[in-house]
Amino acid sequence: LEVTHHYTELLSTILLVETMSKELESRRALRNARRVLIKAGTSVVANDDGRPSLTRLGSICEQIAELHRNGVQVIMVSSGATGM
């Protein structure tokens, strides 16, 4: 039972490292991207009451502006959200 427990822990650690490695690869690719697509659905652009979330939208706009200043082409699309 002791060996099985350590083996399970080892497998969990290996899976965690593989996941982190894949995440780092995707983050690296995103950092090097010259064009990004942002899809914003209802849960992103609206509050629980269905009204636009000006705080979130403002934050998204600031982040898009920063990307644009750094030479990244940004395409933002809506999911055609009907929640608003």
Side-chain angles (χ1 to χ4, degrees):
L1 184 63
E2 183 73 24
V3 172
T4 303
H5 177 71
H6 289 297
Y7 182 72
T8 303
E9 284 183 1
L10 179 61
L11 285 178
S12 295
T13 303
I14 291 170
L15 289 173
L16 178 62
V17 169
E18 287 178 356
T19 301
M20 290 173 62
S21 176
K22 288 178 185 175
E23 181 178 309
L24 292 175
E25 289 173 24
S26 63
R27 287 183 180 272
R28 189 176 313 116
L30 188 55
R31 261 195 302 280
N32 295 327
R34 301 315 313 150
R35 181 180 299 139
V36 296
L37 177 99
I38 301 168
K39 177 182 172 256
T42 303
S43 63
V44 172
V45 299
N47 290 317
D48 291 338
D49 62 5
R51 295 183 314 171
S53 174
L54 301 181
T55 304
R56 272 188 241 124
L57 288 169
S59 177
I60 291 168
C61 289
E62 289 176 5
Q63 292 174 56
I64 289 173
E66 180 67 24
L67 289 168
H68 192 306
R69 282 191 292 275
N70 290 324
V72 177
Q73 294 179 349
V74 179
I75 304 161
M76 185 169 176
V77 297
S78 167
S79 62
T82 58
M84 295 182 59

